[in-house]
Amino acid sequence: MLIPSKLVNEQFDDRYFDVVDALNEAQQIYFRNNNLIERITMGIESRTPFIIGETGFGAGRVVVALMEFIKKSGLKNISIEYNSVELYPLSPERMLDILNGFKDRVGEEIDTLVETYRSIDITVAGWHSAKIQKSFGTIELNLWIGEALEMVESLEKSCDVWFLDGHSPKKNPSIWRPELLMAIGEKTKQGGTCSTFTVASDVKSALIEAGFILNKYPGCGGKKHVLQGVKY
Ligand SMILES: C[S@@+](CC[C@H](N)C(=O)[O-])C[C@H]1O[C@@H](n2cnc3c(N)ncnc32)[C@H](O)[C@@H]1O
């Protein structure tokens, strides 16, 4: 299949996401495989924000998919802290151009994300925070502009879940290197989880070394199986 050039990150010669089924893919790999709705519900009951970490913010497709997923769940009063990192931030215009492929399905969510992203000065390295307020509650978007390991090391709180969404390990080994995955393990709550689309053996070994028990879970589209890990 021909991949539209706007979907290719020229830094790594790899696409931002699967062209065909990117929203469903995020919802399967990152949300369903991590029991997100049940776990966010527990947070509402205990009034504790649910903390997400992501490697690779890219075009923000996972955030858009998350807004749709939570809206459909009917949950209210949710509070999510969404910590992500991006070394090569896209312009808001390019982000919009990339996400617009989904506008018939999630037009409102795309507008919300791009408006929020515009409020961030992506030319300045380090943490940036912006609030997404929707009828279901709040997502506090904390975006680190810079290198993933620095972001993880500077996180003050451990995460309930990590979405590992860097490029393929072959195209971008930097975002899968053992020291980074080890730091992610250290910034995951006990019983917290992680998931990723890749089942590469080096990634599996590094996640096991970082303290995760790995499970092979259903993928989406072309990916039959993906990884999910539980931190012990
Ligand atoms: C596959 S894309 C992420 C897609 C994104 N989650 C989305 O849904 O739109 C991976 C992203 O990670 C970024 N990246 C790659 N290596 C990185 C690193 N070492 N530190 C921070 N960001 C990195 C890339 O620039 C790219 O935007």
Side-chain angles (χ1 to χ4, degrees):
M1 180 189 299
L2 191 65
I3 300 169
S5 59
K6 68 180 175 188
L7 277 169
V8 175
N9 183 341
E10 39 294 289
Q11 309 292 341
F12 300 100
D13 185 29
D14 196 19
R15 61 194 170 176
Y16 282 98
F17 42 72
D18 176 353
V19 228
V20 186
D21 224 2
L23 296 174
N24 296 335
E25 181 196 70
Q27 294 178 352
Q28 180 62 41
I29 300 177
Y30 299 121
F31 311 159
R32 287 196 193 88
N33 286 358
N34 284 304
N35 283 327
L36 224 60
I37 295 301
E38 291 80 349
R39 292 168 68 192
I40 292 173
T41 304
M42 281 160 59
I44 299 170
E45 284 160 6
S46 61
R47 294 171 189 261
T48 317
F50 188 77
I51 306 179
I52 296 175
E54 178 189 50
T55 49
F57 185 70
R61 168 265 326 214
V62 178
V63 180
V64 168
L66 181 64
M67 284 190 261
E68 184 199 40
F69 194 69
I70 294 173
K71 185 163 98 181
K72 277 194 178 160
S73 75
L75 285 185
K76 298 281 177 218
N77 302 318
I78 66 133
S79 173
I80 289 178
E81 292 175 18
Y82 195 101
N83 303 292
S84 191
V85 58
E86 182 51 58
L87 188 54
Y88 301 106
L90 292 168
S91 69
E93 292 69 33
R94 176 136 182 238
M95 174 185 274
L96 186 60
D97 193 27
I98 291 175
L99 292 174
N100 257 345
F102 311 119
K103 75 170 183 293
D104 292 344
R105 174 166 158 180
V106 285
E108 188 197 310
E109 286 77 11
I110 293 169
D111 289 347
T112 301
L113 177 68
V114 176
E115 196 187 313
T116 306
Y117 186 69
R118 277 187 204 284
S119 73
I120 290 173
D121 184 353
I122 54 172
T123 64
V124 176
W127 282 117
H128 299 263
S129 285
K131 221 164 227 165
I132 296 176
Q133 195 74 52
K134 302 294 279 180
S135 58
F136 52 69
T138 308
I139 300 175
E140 185 186 314
L141 176 63
N142 301 316
L143 181 60
W144 175 272
I145 303 293
E147 161 57 41
L149 182 59
E150 289 172 13
M151 172 268 202
V152 178
E153 288 178 341
S154 77
L155 266 181
E156 286 176 3
K157 299 181 195 168
S158 291
C159 294
D160 291 286
V161 64
W162 280 92
F163 305 153
L164 306 179
D165 199 26
H167 290 291
S168 86
K170 276 202 183 115
K171 299 265 182 169
N172 180 23
S174 82
I175 209 158
W176 305 102
R177 62 196 195 275
E179 60 178 323
L180 172 58
L181 298 182
M182 182 62 78
I184 286 174
E186 284 162 10
K187 289 285 167 70
T188 307
K189 293 180 184 175
Q190 195 178 13
T193 58
C194 70
S195 57
T196 179
F197 59 88
T198 181
V199 289
S201 54
D202 288 355
V203 172
K204 282 196 219 168
S205 310
L207 285 172
I208 291 169
E209 199 59 32
F212 291 96
I213 293 171
L214 297 183
N215 302 296
K216 225 154 104 182
Y217 274 13
C220 178
K223 293 178 195 101
K224 209 166 164 205
H225 292 118
V226 293
L227 283 186
Q228 191 260 14
V230 181
K231 177 82 196 306
Y232 55 85

